[in-house]
Amino acid sequence: MKKKTIAAAVMASCMALTATFAGCSLVSSDNKKDMAQEIATVDITKSKNFGESGLSDYKGAISGETSIYKKDLVSYFLNVGYSLVQNGKSYEETFNMLMDSLIENAVLVQYSTMALLEIKAESDSGALEEFKSFKTLREKYEYLLDEDDENLAKYKLYSSVNKAIDNSEKTVIEDEDEYKGTETRTTPVNLETEQDDYYPRKDNSLNYNIYTGFEGEGFNNLLSNSGAYEEDALEGTTRATRIKAYNAFLKNLKDNDLITEEDEKGNLKNVNSLSYLEEEYVTQLESCVINKYFDIYEEQQREKLLQNNYIQNRYEELLADQKDSYKTGSAFETAMGSMASNSFLLYSPETSDDNELEGTIDGYSNVNYGRFGFVYNILLPFNAKQTAELNGLKSILSQDGEDNFYYNERNKLLERIETEDQRSAWFNGATDYSFKASESGITDYYHNANSDSGYLFFEGNLTDSGEGARYKKLQAYDGRYSYNGKVFENDDGSYTLLGEKLTIDGMLDEFSAYINYVLGGDNVEINKTANYYGAGNDKYNLNFYKDEEKEEIDYTKFLYAYGKVDLGGFDNRDLFYANNTASKQYKAMSAVNELQFAYTTDTSVLSQYAGYTVSAYETNYVKEFEYAAKLAISNGAGAFTVCAGDYGWHLIYVTSVFDNNSSDGGETYKTPNWSRVDDEGTFENLFFEWIKGNDINDVNTTRRTKIINDFKKENESVVKYQKRYQDLLDLKNEE
């Protein structure tokens, strides 16, 4: 991936160094003495509740009060608070909220420090004395943490500094007339989303450094020494552009009074020597201390969840609640809209004979009762000229009995539809997500026999896998479908793309070939109906009515093709969104979803978790689409239909269905096997993770709240000096 733009940088704990202000100045009007004022102190050992905490033996661990300075509050405002003011909060509300947050963080750090020390002392009786012997907070926190925690803290800090410098460098590079992409297209879920515990490693050490463009005695901050950052560097970066950007970074530090006199006496070119970096690293360590305490606490709660049938009881509670709530289809439809990997539908309501489909296609399943389900939609659209012709024909629909004429004329336009790969924005957008497969050593990818561009997308997600992977897996996206066309790289960084033209038959060929490629073998059965482009004089003289009275349209006449993907005896009542790469259903779903990203012009479906929800009852979809979707759903997961419509061709693929075997409704899943809670991708695993995410988070939140309520006592464990920051509270919002 070659980055053309960078999101605004967010510093580890204190500031977005690119913030600009209109009509107010928080720092330049304050001298160093003012900014160095202590505006609050925190010492939870002075709380009356401390004696009941069980941590009295470790009272000496925190070495007295934690001081909060005015510059801490201002820095926090630059990172978080300024945007709140821009969104309507007053300065007084904002600064008071930030002040509370700083105090609460200090309370949690002090409590977690003593709690971790207590745990450490269980195996080392001299832990307290050793802890007290350290001179700096950095040494104390590192004593409580392990090497992974320290490396993660450094990585988060260094990467945030790099992002801040990136943000300035992007402007420098753009000033040199680099190509600026503007195209947009939705990207898959989890794109470049890092794993929570990720940091780049080499020989079990942190492989990451800050890139400033400077080097000197005892330091090297050149790109070649930046480790894993080198892969993320901006396209077009040079030592000169980076030095300009780093100087802007230093200026922002100075403007916000974050360069000390000692820094000025030293070498500002050495970013690692800045006191600011050391302070921010300590702040990151504080976050690690809090997180480590709550990780231990969470693990204790996790063990409780695995005891005494807790999971089964929670499952039965939710099932009973859904049986009561989903007695009507409308309630169930609403719930379908919010289904996700942490939002489960354990019960589907019954459907009645009133929902039967009228008219089925010979050779397709005779099962025709209504079901609830999810579908993908690959829309191959009319072009602008064809759309204009179609709009001209629509007026004829207002004339009685002329539907046949309109639909036959529409068929002529449908026959001429040609589409092409829609992913040009992933080349020429704000970020270039494309890469040459050959340059990454990838040979396992799909390409059309007539078009081998050799370009894939999302290199980081696609090539970084296995233990220690940087990114989370892309959701329901296989990633091996190369751009279908020719690609030419231009001197200015843009691309000229010549997409392969596809008719509806060409799209079905790609659909079948790619699914077979992903699944391995011959898995796709496609049947063409006799309704379109028949032989002889009747080719454009079809009858779309059910009877001679012309009172009702026969929607079977809009079907062009139908079929099903062989999912190997897949049980449609199993969990379909389990990210289980061994599941043929999930593999097929991932292949079709990728084809959606490549071809559909119905971009709203790209933001749907499992596609569009389709009710067993009447829907708001256009009738051609509704019938074709319902017919496909009646044949279960893996079924598909192709139908005509006023927007073009719809290739509709069923990702999952409910109420598979009868019209009686019932439980969606088989009896869970809770021994599989640790098997990633199973229903039991995701359900357990959901319970953890709710129940344990609730417990953790309750625990945090209790700690804060017990020890955040004004004029007892917390002392605030409001007069020293009253000038900030008195700032007025611009009218």
Side-chain angles (χ1 to χ4, degrees):
M1 182 195 73
K2 297 172 281 295
K3 294 184 178 178
K4 294 179 181 172
T5 62
I6 295 292
V10 177
M11 298 306 298
S13 68
C14 70
M15 65 183 306
L17 293 173
T18 55
T20 57
F21 303 95
C24 73
S25 177
L26 302 178
V27 178
S28 59
S29 62
D30 291 324
N31 58 37
K32 291 181 180 290
K33 184 177 179 181
D34 181 36
M35 295 298 289
Q37 286 188 101
E38 187 180 64
I39 59 175
T41 61
V42 178
D43 183 353
I44 68 172
T45 66
K46 293 180 179 179
S47 170
K48 294 177 182 177
N49 296 319
F50 184 72
E52 302 173 3
S53 67
L55 298 173
S56 298
D57 291 343
Y58 303 93
K59 181 177 181 179
I62 62 171
S63 303
E65 300 172 338
T66 296
S67 296
I68 298 172
Y69 299 98
K70 190 172 184 178
K71 75 171 185 177
D72 298 330
L73 182 57
V74 170
S75 297
Y76 197 13
F77 175 85
L78 294 177
N79 181 42
V80 176
Y82 187 62
S83 63
L84 297 176
V85 170
Q86 288 180 312
N87 289 325
K89 280 192 174 293
S90 70
Y91 281 97
E92 183 177 13
E93 288 176 309
T94 300
F95 277 110
N96 280 329
M97 181 188 73
L98 298 179
M99 191 68 178
D100 279 343
S101 182
L102 288 170
I103 290 170
E104 289 173 3
N105 187 71
V107 168
L108 290 170
V109 169
Q110 290 185 357
Y111 185 92
S112 299
T113 296
M114 289 185 282
L116 290 181
L117 193 54
E118 180 187 38
I119 294 170
K120 197 173 187 69
E122 292 176 0
S123 58
D124 182 359
S125 60
L128 176 58
E129 293 306 313
E130 186 174 1
F131 181 86
K132 291 165 65 176
S133 71
F134 295 120
K135 303 300 182 184
T136 65
L137 285 174
R138 172 177 180 158
E139 292 174 308
K140 292 176 184 291
Y141 293 144
E142 287 182 344
Y143 178 70
L144 296 174
L145 301 168
D146 57 32
E147 187 176 0
D148 279 339
D149 295 322
E150 296 166 26
N151 286 336
L152 184 61
K154 290 175 184 175
Y155 172 62
K156 287 186 175 180
L157 172 59
Y158 293 172
S159 62
S160 66
V161 173
N162 271 330
K163 287 175 183 176
I165 302 174
D166 285 347
N167 204 50
S168 295
E169 189 184 18
K170 177 202 66 166
T171 304
V172 175
I173 293 173
E174 287 182 349
D175 285 344
E176 298 176 1
D177 296 325
E178 286 288 328
Y179 173 75
K180 304 176 184 67
T182 58
E183 295 184 49
T184 60
R185 187 167 177 83
T186 305
T187 53
V189 174
N190 287 338
L191 175 60
E192 295 179 355
T193 302
E194 288 188 347
Q195 303 283 356
D196 295 337
D197 59 351
Y198 168 80
Y199 65 85
R201 307 163 191 252
K202 185 177 182 180
D203 299 328
N204 295 320
S205 298
L206 176 65
N207 180 33
Y208 194 88
N209 203 357
I210 298 171
Y211 166 44
T212 67
F214 283 112
E215 66 174 336
E217 186 176 351
F219 72 95
N220 181 341
N221 292 112
L222 301 180
L223 183 60
S224 59
N225 196 48
S226 64
Y229 171 77
E230 190 168 4
E231 294 294 320
D232 295 338
L234 290 174
E235 183 180 16
T237 185
T238 65
R239 189 173 178 183
T241 60
R242 196 64 174 184
I243 286 174
K244 287 181 182 179
Y246 177 62
N247 286 335
F249 174 85
L250 287 176
K251 183 179 184 301
N252 280 323
L253 287 178
K254 290 178 181 179
D255 289 346
N256 292 296
D257 199 36
L258 293 170
I259 295 291
T260 67
E261 293 180 2
E262 290 300 315
D263 291 333
E264 295 280 9
K265 294 176 183 178
N267 187 356
L268 293 178
K269 294 179 181 179
N270 182 2
V271 64
N272 297 88
S273 71
L274 298 179
S275 57
Y276 165 76
L277 220 66
E278 177 66 17
E279 292 171 3
E280 288 304 297
Y281 176 56
V282 170
T283 300
Q284 283 289 353
L285 291 177
E286 287 179 341
S287 296
C288 287
V289 166
I290 295 173
N291 291 338
K292 184 168 185 176
Y293 167 70
F294 278 99
D295 284 345
I296 293 172
Y297 185 73
E298 179 177 315
E299 185 59 29
Q300 294 170 346
Q301 303 307 310
R302 181 184 186 279
E303 293 303 314
K304 292 180 181 179
L305 294 186
L306 294 172
Q307 300 170 3
N308 302 319
N309 295 320
Y310 184 87
I311 309 173
Q312 179 65 25
N313 292 338
R314 289 286 282 113
Y315 173 83
E316 291 176 356
E317 288 173 7
L318 182 60
L319 177 61
D321 179 65
Q322 292 190 3
K323 284 182 177 179
D324 184 60
S325 300
Y326 302 154
K327 290 179 179 178
T328 63
S330 59
F332 183 72
E333 288 174 51
T334 300
M336 287 176 67
S338 60
M339 192 176 73
S341 60
N342 60 354
S343 179
F344 302 94
L345 294 178
L346 307 184
Y347 178 85
S348 61
E350 67 178 33
T351 56
S352 68
D353 293 340
D354 294 339
N355 306 314
E356 288 185 357
L357 297 171
E358 294 186 9
T360 56
I361 300 299
D362 292 340
Y364 219 30
S365 171
N366 290 323
V367 177
N368 62 359
Y369 54 80
R371 296 191 201 168
F372 298 96
F374 293 90
V375 298
Y376 285 153
N377 176 38
I378 300 177
L379 173 62
L380 280 61
F382 293 111
N383 62 31
K385 181 180 179 181
Q386 291 165 345
T387 299
E389 290 184 56
L390 191 68
N391 288 335
L393 289 169
K394 284 182 180 178
S395 62
I396 298 174
L397 281 176
S398 63
Q399 303 175 33
D400 292 341
E402 295 300 331
D403 296 41
N404 270 336
F405 174 79
Y406 171 76
Y407 290 128
N408 276 293
E409 290 299 306
R410 189 176 73 176
N411 274 0
K412 296 177 184 178
L413 297 176
L414 286 162
E415 189 177 21
R416 301 203 301 268
I417 283 179
E418 287 186 326
T419 192
E420 62 184 77
D421 200 312
Q422 302 291 307
R423 295 174 292 180
S424 62
W426 294 353
F427 289 96
N428 292 321
T431 301
D432 178 5
Y433 293 113
S434 69
F435 70 98
K436 289 183 178 179
S438 59
E439 293 180 357
S440 291
I442 295 176
T443 57
D444 179 15
Y445 68 93
Y446 172 85
H447 57 273
N448 185 300
N450 299 320
S451 172
D452 183 8
S453 70
Y455 278 83
L456 298 173
F457 305 93
F458 318 126
E459 184 175 12
N461 291 86
L462 192 59
T463 61
D464 185 13
S465 59
E467 187 175 354
R470 178 177 184 179
Y471 298 116
K472 296 180 179 179
K473 294 178 181 178
L474 295 175
Q475 183 175 286
Y477 188 93
D478 185 88
R480 291 179 289 169
Y481 188 79
S482 65
Y483 177 77
N484 191 6
K486 293 181 173 61
V487 179
F488 302 93
E489 296 190 39
N490 303 319
D491 292 339
D492 65 354
S494 66
Y495 296 82
T496 298
L497 306 169
L498 300 177
E500 186 78 7
K501 300 295 184 182
L502 297 179
T503 63
I504 184 59
D505 291 323
M507 183 70 247
L508 281 170
D509 289 342
E510 288 292 281
F511 177 83
S512 174
Y514 189 53
I515 294 174
N516 283 333
Y517 178 83
V518 171
L519 296 184
D522 187 9
N523 300 275
V524 184
E525 176 190 353
I526 298 178
N527 304 284
K528 302 284 182 67
T529 69
N531 295 329
Y532 281 96
Y533 316 139
N537 296 327
D538 293 330
K539 184 173 182 179
Y540 300 121
N541 190 30
L542 301 175
N543 178 23
F544 290 87
Y545 292 105
K546 287 186 176 181
D547 49 43
E548 294 182 1
E549 286 74 23
K550 299 183 179 181
E551 293 181 350
E552 192 173 357
I553 295 293
D554 181 358
Y555 289 102
T556 66
K557 299 296 180 63
F558 297 111
L559 285 172
Y560 179 69
Y562 60 93
K564 192 162 187 178
V565 179
D566 180 4
L567 300 177
F570 176 78
D571 185 342
N572 288 318
R573 299 203 301 172
D574 280 346
L575 190 66
F576 76 94
Y577 48 76
N579 295 332
N580 184 352
T581 56
S583 162
K584 290 187 73 173
Q585 186 198 23
Y586 186 76
K587 287 182 178 180
M589 177 180 173
S590 298
V592 179
N593 191 33
E594 187 174 2
L595 292 174
Q596 273 194 141
F597 278 99
Y599 291 104
T600 192
T601 57
D602 176 13
T603 55
S604 61
V605 76
L606 298 177
S607 61
Q608 303 296 318
Y609 181 71
Y612 289 131
T613 61
V614 179
S615 172
Y617 305 94
E618 187 175 357
T619 74
N620 292 323
Y621 298 126
V622 295
K623 289 301 181 182
E624 297 99 317
F625 181 90
E626 178 183 27
Y627 175 80
K630 285 178 177 291
L631 180 63
I633 284 174
S634 75
N635 283 268
F640 59 90
T641 52
V642 177
C643 76
D646 281 348
Y647 298 105
W649 291 112
H650 297 271
L651 198 171
I652 303 166
Y653 177 83
V654 181
T655 59
S656 186
V657 299
F658 296 93
D659 184 25
N660 182 46
N661 296 318
S662 73
S663 61
D664 298 331
E667 295 184 35
T668 304
Y669 307 109
K670 298 176 180 178
T671 303
N673 177 7
W674 301 118
S675 66
R676 302 196 304 170
V677 295
D678 291 323
D679 295 344
E680 185 176 355
T682 63
F683 164 72
E684 293 83 356
N685 170 255
L686 290 182
F687 189 80
F688 179 65
E689 291 299 316
W690 171 74
I691 289 177
K692 284 174 57 182
N694 283 274
D695 296 18
I696 292 183
N697 280 351
D698 288 346
V699 171
N700 276 354
T701 300
T702 301
R703 183 65 177 161
R704 285 174 182 263
T705 302
K706 177 172 173 53
I707 292 171
I708 290 169
N709 289 342
D710 282 352
F711 302 116
K712 181 188 167 187
K713 303 290 186 181
E714 286 201 36
N715 302 318
E716 187 176 303
S717 56
V718 176
V719 179
K720 290 197 289 189
Y721 304 103
Q722 184 170 318
K723 288 184 179 180
R724 299 176 185 176
Y725 61 93
Q726 186 65 46
D727 57 327
L728 301 177
L729 301 179
D730 290 340
L731 289 169
K732 300 299 182 183
N733 296 60
E734 289 188 341
E735 296 298 331

